[in-house]
Amino acid sequence: MKANRTTILIFFVMVAILSGFVVIGPFAQESALYQIANITLGSVLISLCFSLLTEDYSWTDRLWSTLPVVFTWIYAYKAGFSTPVVVAALLATLWGARLTFNFARRGGYRGEEDYRWKILKQKIGNPVGWFFFNVFFIAFYQQFLFIAFTSPIGILPSSNAPFSPLSFIAIFLFICFLSIETIADQQQYTFQQAKYQLLPRKDKLEDEYAQGFRSSGLFTYSRHPNYFGELGVWWSIYLFSVSFHSSLLHYTIAGPLLLTLLFIGSTIFTESITSSKYPAYAAYKEKAGAILFRFW
């Protein structure tokens, strides 16, 4: 069994049936968080089964831009579609639609696996060790993060509470960060496609094609501006959620914090691969920030 369009469609149908069963089935009267936790438990098991059957480990990656959006609308449904929760769900849907489009055009729904999993599997080298890594990190922990970084939406009021100035600031920041992520992904996509002769090359980027990686555009200031935008999106949603409370600190801040730690770890691992492939990358690291923008 291989990861292809058919198996991926079956995978999503199974997750969709699971989600519908939890929301309108025997758990219909339970809280949003309880329903989301049960959906996650089921999606983890489904992802594990598909990874073992296909030896493809990007099943959680395929849920990254879709299942969290489902969670936000579960919160909206359980809150009676109050205005604050619906606004948060709509913002998350914009994020998910953009990320899904970018993932799709890179082949994620045609069976393309994240290249880093194969490299990491070789580094671990032990089948038993890789099995447990697949279970506890790739499937369980990453999907637990779906619960964590969407959890701030669960503290939004179920009434049509008035928006504060901070609420509008958070929405504005969300749009800014989503724009940064969109521009960065587009710049990277066109560069990679042209690098491999799939799109016309630009003369001004010939030096970058030769060095092997993009270092212009938003990549002048950050080596991973798309990560910066992604993290900013969920920190903005957290800020929007707490704008309806008296304090900016709430335990759901653990969600965006854990997401930030994941991206820091991903940056370190990804750059270890990139540095080994491209000699010029070491000099580039001295010029641009890792995730945060460096303008000096």
Side-chain angles (χ1 to χ4, degrees), residues 206-251:
E206 282 299 333
D207 290 343
E208 291 175 67
Y209 298 137
Q211 73 182 8
F213 55 89
R214 179 142 202 175
S215 56
S216 60
L218 292 180
F219 293 84
T220 305
Y221 312 106
S222 169
R223 305 194 295 275
H224 303 277
N226 49 336
Y227 287 6
F228 178 68
E230 175 85 354
L231 290 171
V233 159
W234 290 104
W235 278 104
S236 298
I237 287 181
Y238 171 79
L239 186 63
F240 177 77
S241 298
V242 297
S243 71
F244 292 88
H245 294 260
S246 58
S247 173
L248 293 180
L249 288 178
H250 190 272
Y251 70 85

Side-chain angles (χ1 to χ4, degrees), residues 92-165:
T93 302
L94 283 175
W95 162 83
R98 191 216 66 79
L99 195 58
T100 298
F101 167 75
N102 191 60
F103 189 72
R105 67 178 176 175
R106 289 167 45 216
Y109 301 116
R110 298 195 302 269
E112 294 290 331
E113 183 186 26
D114 189 326
Y115 72 95
R116 292 172 295 184
W117 295 136
K118 289 182 179 179
I119 295 172
L120 190 55
K121 186 178 181 180
Q122 291 174 349
K123 285 183 176 293
I124 291 177
N126 185 322
V128 175
W130 176 252
F131 172 80
F132 283 107
F133 181 83
N134 181 32
V135 171
F136 292 107
F137 179 79
I138 298 179
F140 178 77
Y141 181 69
Q142 288 195 110
Q143 293 192 43
F144 164 74
L145 283 182
F146 297 169
I147 302 176
F149 64 71
T150 58
S151 65
I153 297 175
I155 67 173
L156 284 166
S158 56
S159 60
N160 293 325
F163 285 36
S164 68

Side-chain angles (χ1 to χ4, degrees), residues 13-283:
V13 168
M14 291 179 66
V15 173
I17 291 172
L18 165 71
S19 302
F21 176 78
V22 169
V23 173
I24 64 177
F27 303 107
Q29 302 306 314
E30 301 293 344
S31 68
L33 186 59
Y34 185 88
Q35 291 180 343
I36 287 168
N38 278 275
I39 292 170
T40 302
L41 179 61
S43 66
V44 166
L45 293 174
I46 293 171
S47 301
L48 281 172
C49 289
F50 272 78
S51 69
L52 294 174
L53 289 170
T54 63
E55 294 188 350
D56 177 301
Y57 301 95
S58 279
W59 297 102
T60 296
D61 299 333
R62 296 179 181 112
L63 291 175
W64 192 274
S65 63
T66 51
L67 201 54
V69 174
V70 173
F71 292 171
T72 65
W73 284 105
I74 290 174
Y75 280 121
Y77 172 68
K78 299 299 284 188
F81 295 103
S82 68
T83 301
V85 189
V86 167
V87 168
L90 287 172
L91 293 176
T93 302
L94 283 175
W95 162 83
R98 191 216 66 79
L99 195 58
T100 298
F101 167 75
N102 191 60
F103 189 72
R105 67 178 176 175
R106 289 167 45 216
Y109 301 116
R110 298 195 302 269
E112 294 290 331
E113 183 186 26
D114 189 326
Y115 72 95
R116 292 172 295 184
W117 295 136
K118 289 182 179 179
I119 295 172
L120 190 55
K121 186 178 181 180
Q122 291 174 349
K123 285 183 176 293
I124 291 177
N126 185 322
V128 175
W130 176 252
F131 172 80
F132 283 107
F133 181 83
N134 181 32
V135 171
F136 292 107
F137 179 79
I138 298 179
F140 178 77
Y141 181 69
Q142 288 195 110
Q143 293 192 43
F144 164 74
L145 283 182
F146 297 169
I147 302 176
F149 64 71
T150 58
S151 65
I153 297 175
I155 67 173
L156 284 166
S158 56
S159 60
N160 293 325
F163 285 36
S164 68
L166 185 58
S167 306
F168 292 107
I169 291 172
I171 293 172
F172 174 75
L173 288 173
F174 175 93
I175 294 170
C176 290
F177 285 119
L178 186 66
S179 299
I180 289 171
E181 189 177 14
T182 302
I183 294 169
D185 277 342
Q186 183 61 39
Q187 288 180 346
Q188 184 70 297
Y189 177 78
T190 54
F191 175 80
Q192 291 294 334
Q193 293 294 101
K195 175 183 168 183
Y196 294 108
Q197 310 289 342
L198 298 174
L199 283 177
R201 290 189 171 216
K202 295 183 179 180
D203 293 340
K204 64 180 180 179
L205 298 180
E206 282 299 333
D207 290 343
E208 291 175 67
Y209 298 137
Q211 73 182 8
F213 55 89
R214 179 142 202 175
S215 56
S216 60
L218 292 180
F219 293 84
T220 305
Y221 312 106
S222 169
R223 305 194 295 275
H224 303 277
N226 49 336
Y227 287 6
F228 178 68
E230 175 85 354
L231 290 171
V233 159
W234 290 104
W235 278 104
S236 298
I237 287 181
Y238 171 79
L239 186 63
F240 177 77
S241 298
V242 297
S243 71
F244 292 88
H245 294 260
S246 58
S247 173
L248 293 180
L249 288 178
H250 190 272
Y251 70 85
T252 56
I253 198 174
L257 276 174
L258 289 173
L259 187 65
T260 301
L261 292 175
L262 177 74
F263 274 61
I264 291 172
S266 177
T267 298
I268 293 170
F269 178 61
T270 302
E271 292 198 337
S272 70
I273 300 171
T274 307
S275 297
S276 66
K277 290 171 61 179
Y278 305 116
Y281 200 77

